Amino acid sequence: MNNQFRRVLVIGAGLIGTSMALALRRASGNILIDAVEGQDGYRREAQRVGVFDSVWPDITAVQQDYELAVLAIPARAACSLADSVSEVAEWTMDVCSIKRPIVEVFSRIAAKGRRCVPTHPMAGKAKGGPGAAEADLFRGRPWLFLETHPAPLQLEQMVAELGAVPTYVHSADDHDRNLAYLSHGIHLTSLSAMQAATGVEIDVAARIAGPAFWDITRLAASPSGFWIDTLLDNRDFVLEYLGGLQVEIQRFVRALQAADEELLRDLLDQARGSREGVEGARARHKAATETSD
Amino acid sequence: MNNQFRRVLVIGAGLIGTSMALALRRASGNILIDAVEGQDGYRREAQRVGVFDSVWPDITAVQQDYELAVLAIPARAACSLADSVSEVAEWTMDVCSIKRPIVEVFSRIAAKGRRCVPTHPMAGKAKGGPGAAEADLFRGRPWLFLETHPAPLQLEQMVAELGAVPTYVHSADDHDRNLAYLSHGIHLTSLSAMQAATGVEIDVAARIAGPAFWDITRLAASPSGFWIDTLLDNRDFVLEYLGGLQVEIQRFVRALQAADEELLRDLLDQARGSREGVEGARARHKAATETSD
């Protein structure tokens, strides 16, 4: 690839930042990849992983310019650091799970003539930190961009080199609403199901619960740190989703209260139709993606 | 085994009944296993599977006595047939997913001096019918009995021979409430999450939804037949669970509306604590079960 990024700075040597470094290093060995990591423990762990050329404790310690800087830190920290990071890089991108605050900050920076791209790789795992990083973390996963803020070709190519699928949604609003419906709200649904099930003795649940229980409540095991900020930053759309969820549950409540078999059948059939619709669309999308390889 | 059941009649050659026959046949080849199956298609399919000695179209066609009859049909049908089935068997058991109506009918029959045992194997799969049956369907799965209606030793031994784990809950009420909280209510939670997510365009959802979305909404794909009767028969406890679920969702709504970070953290931590509690109990139970083998 001719116009590859050859000097990359990763802000935040956590799971995502270090996984990106591992994947970039595997794809093209002879590039410079530095990191900035403020936490001592993460910095030592990142140095042990050995994928970064240098790991600086602070953006002010950075001594040179880069072709690409990646904000791989939580959205609020990314918003605070974006300006100073964009001073040392030709291109600045983020990988945060919410896009409205990022786009707002990037717009202000872009007014100074700097080039910023909001992005969001749909990848992660339960355990965080540089020690949990994997070069394959992004393989086959969508890497979201916004039509309102298109990425340069070389950035889309880099994402594809990491194994991800560059995928456009309309706008930051559209992104955040989709994530509320497909991830953040789903997360709270799982936690609510777990809490509602505490009406059963723990030992009984442990002995008799089947796969449905374990699958539907599994997100309750997630560490809370990431989620608190994400849910608060996206709370308007998450509340919209939860409002819709309450309406759907209330439909089942009414059907059961009335012992209305026909209504209940309709509701079950509608849900099956919805699921089959999205499964079908996924199968078509997968087939189309594989054909175009 | 000395006091093994040597003449078994299975009422309903569906997934569960035929799987039981396959597992029994594998465990002890030289026993008689007949079936009664009213649906022509199922009867032909069961005959093709070849595990039954005879497959009768109707209980009135049955020509002999059995040591054990298994009601492997939906609860309402099981309640209707229990009396006539118990006339031709020393022991009658059911395998229905709800226990209160069964226990009521079994009590009336027991008053005539017949011996009936309510049971519920926690096993199944998406596809039904004799063609989907597997001898391993019950392996490692709990097979529920009621302390109020203990099984004879030979029945517990048979269940263990099928690979299942005989597991007692207190009573029919207790069983039905537990199932509402761990299965029936969980099912409706998954369907509600699916319907609430239809606020996102199908093609967008198909491209960007991650494992959380696919896992939490997966039960929406289930065929509705079994579920309509089960949900209606257990509607009081399912409504109790859904009421609790609505309370839990409303807690998140309030925390987000108030942007109350501390409350949100408490709720996430509580859910994680609940999940870890039940995971820990499962691990202890598993360790204890394996030690006792």
Side-chain angles (χ1 to χ4, degrees):
Chain A
M1 204 181 301
N2 293 324
N3 44 6
Q4 196 183 27
F5 297 110
R6 307 215 144 261
R7 299 190 315 282
V8 176
L9 178 65
V10 176
I11 313 296
L15 172 68
I16 300 291
T18 306
S19 293
M20 281 184 72
L22 287 169
L24 275 174
R25 185 69 77 197
R26 184 172 62 183
S28 34
N30 60 341
I31 61 173
L32 176 80
I33 314 179
D34 288 349
V36 169
E37 176 51 61
Q39 292 184 48
D40 290 347
Y42 268 29
R43 197 162 55 247
R44 280 194 298 273
E45 212 177 318
Q47 277 157 344
R48 268 201 302 278
V49 173
V51 68
F52 296 109
D53 292 294
S54 303
V55 184
W56 311 106
D58 193 286
I59 183 69
T60 61
V62 169
Q63 302 291 326
Q64 64 165 105
D65 284 352
Y66 296 88
E67 292 174 355
L68 175 68
V70 183
L71 292 158
I73 47 182
R76 294 178 197 184
C79 288
S80 306
L81 284 181
D83 193 11
S84 51
V85 167
S86 70
E87 282 182 5
V88 301
E90 286 173 43
W91 287 93
T92 299
M93 68 186 278
D94 79 304
V95 292
C96 299
S97 57
I98 177 157
K99 296 270 71 74
R100 284 174 293 171
I102 297 289
V103 160
E104 201 186 310
V105 168
F106 278 7
S107 297
R108 284 204 299 272
I109 298 173
K112 303 184 192 179
R114 298 185 201 146
R115 295 183 288 187
C116 303
V117 186
T119 87
H120 178 202
M122 299 284 287
K125 52 196 266 194
K127 192 168 154 41
E134 299 174 19
D136 280 326
L137 189 69
F138 310 105
R139 187 156 303 284
R141 305 294 308 141
W143 195 302
L144 303 185
F145 296 98
L146 309 181
E147 285 167 10
T148 52
H149 296 72
L153 184 61
Q154 65 193 125
L155 187 46
E156 286 185 24
Q157 283 171 339
M158 184 190 83
V159 159
E161 267 195 335
L162 301 184
V165 183
T167 303
Y168 275 82
V169 296
H170 301 313
S171 63
D173 260 42
D174 194 47
H175 170 278
D176 292 355
R177 186 169 180 277
N178 288 336
L179 267 285
Y181 278 65
L182 301 173
S183 170
H184 311 160
I186 291 284
H187 193 82
L188 294 186
T189 306
S190 177
L191 272 60
S192 301
M194 179 65 242
Q195 283 305 86
T198 57
V200 169
E201 281 174 56
I202 276 187
D203 284 324
V204 173
R207 283 185 299 134
I208 74 177
F213 171 81
W214 295 107
D215 281 359
I216 303 308
T217 64
R218 75 171 172 83
L219 301 175
S222 315
S224 48
F226 162 80
W227 282 102
I228 290 167
D229 284 357
T230 303
L231 291 166
L232 288 173
D233 289 346
N234 205 20
R235 69 196 183 96
D236 49 353
F237 286 132
V238 176
L239 282 166
E240 187 183 294
Y241 172 85
L242 292 179
L245 179 65
Q246 289 175 313
V247 168
E248 298 301 333
I249 293 168
Q250 196 55 32
R251 282 194 225 278
F252 284 114
V253 167
R254 274 199 296 270
L256 290 175
Q257 278 173 341
D260 186 335
E261 183 171 333
E262 201 170 329
L263 175 56
L264 189 58
R265 186 183 308 276
D266 280 353
L267 295 174
L268 294 171
D269 288 348
Q270 279 167 28
R272 195 172 62 256
S274 301
R275 171 79 190 191
E276 285 171 358
V278 71
E279 279 175 5
R282 177 170 64 165
R284 285 192 301 278
H285 175 62
K286 211 176 157 196
T289 310
E290 280 163 6
T291 306
S292 72
D293 273 352
Chain B
M1 201 183 304
N2 293 324
N3 44 5
Q4 196 183 29
F5 296 111
R6 307 214 143 263
R7 298 189 316 280
V8 177
L9 177 65
V10 177
I11 312 296
L15 172 68
I16 300 290
T18 306
S19 293
M20 281 185 72
L22 288 169
L24 275 174
R25 185 69 76 196
R26 185 172 62 182
S28 35
N30 60 340
I31 61 174
L32 175 81
I33 313 179
D34 288 348
V36 170
E37 176 51 61
Q39 291 184 47
D40 290 346
Y42 268 28
R43 196 162 57 247
R44 278 194 300 271
E45 213 176 317
Q47 278 157 342
R48 268 200 302 278
V49 173
V51 67
F52 296 108
D53 292 294
S54 303
V55 183
W56 311 105
D58 195 286
I59 184 67
T60 60
V62 169
Q63 303 289 326
Q64 63 165 104
D65 284 352
Y66 296 87
E67 291 174 354
L68 175 69
V70 182
L71 292 158
I73 47 182
R76 295 179 197 183
C79 288
S80 307
L81 283 182
D83 192 13
S84 51
V85 167
S86 70
E87 282 181 5
V88 300
E90 286 172 43
W91 286 95
T92 299
M93 68 185 278
D94 79 306
V95 292
C96 299
S97 57
I98 177 158
K99 295 271 71 76
R100 285 174 292 172
I102 297 290
V103 160
E104 201 186 310
V105 168
F106 279 7
S107 297
R108 283 205 299 272
I109 298 173
K112 302 185 192 177
R114 299 187 199 144
R115 294 185 290 186
C116 303
V117 185
T119 88
H120 178 201
M122 299 283 286
K125 52 196 269 196
K127 193 169 154 43
E134 299 175 18
D136 281 326
L137 189 70
F138 309 105
R139 186 156 304 283
R141 305 295 309 143
W143 196 302
L144 303 185
F145 295 98
L146 309 181
E147 285 167 10
T148 52
H149 296 71
L153 184 61
Q154 65 193 127
L155 187 46
E156 285 186 25
Q157 283 172 338
M158 183 190 84
V159 160
E161 268 194 333
L162 301 184
V165 183
T167 303
Y168 275 83
V169 296
H170 301 314
S171 62
D173 259 42
D174 194 47
H175 170 279
D176 291 355
R177 186 170 180 277
N178 288 336
L179 267 284
Y181 278 65
L182 301 173
S183 169
H184 311 160
I186 291 285
H187 193 84
L188 294 186
T189 306
S190 178
L191 271 58
S192 300
M194 179 66 241
Q195 284 305 87
T198 56
V200 169
E201 281 173 57
I202 275 188
D203 285 324
V204 173
R207 282 184 301 135
I208 74 178
F213 172 81
W214 295 109
D215 282 359
I216 303 307
T217 63
R218 76 173 173 82
L219 302 175
S222 315
S224 48
F226 162 79
W227 282 101
I228 291 167
D229 284 357
T230 303
L231 292 166
L232 288 173
D233 289 344
N234 204 21
R235 68 197 184 95
D236 50 353
F237 286 132
V238 176
L239 281 165
E240 186 184 295
Y241 172 86
L242 291 179
L245 178 66
Q246 288 175 315
V247 167
E248 298 300 334
I249 293 168
Q250 195 56 31
R251 282 193 225 279
F252 285 113
V253 167
R254 274 199 298 269
L256 291 174
Q257 278 172 341
D260 186 335
E261 183 170 332
E262 201 170 329
L263 174 56
L264 189 57
R265 186 183 308 277
D266 281 353
L267 295 175
L268 294 171
D269 288 347
Q270 280 167 28
R272 195 171 63 256
S274 302
R275 172 79 191 193
E276 285 172 357
V278 70
E279 281 175 5
R282 177 171 63 164
R284 285 192 301 279
H285 174 63
K286 211 176 159 198
T289 310
E290 281 164 7
T291 306
S292 72
D293 272 354

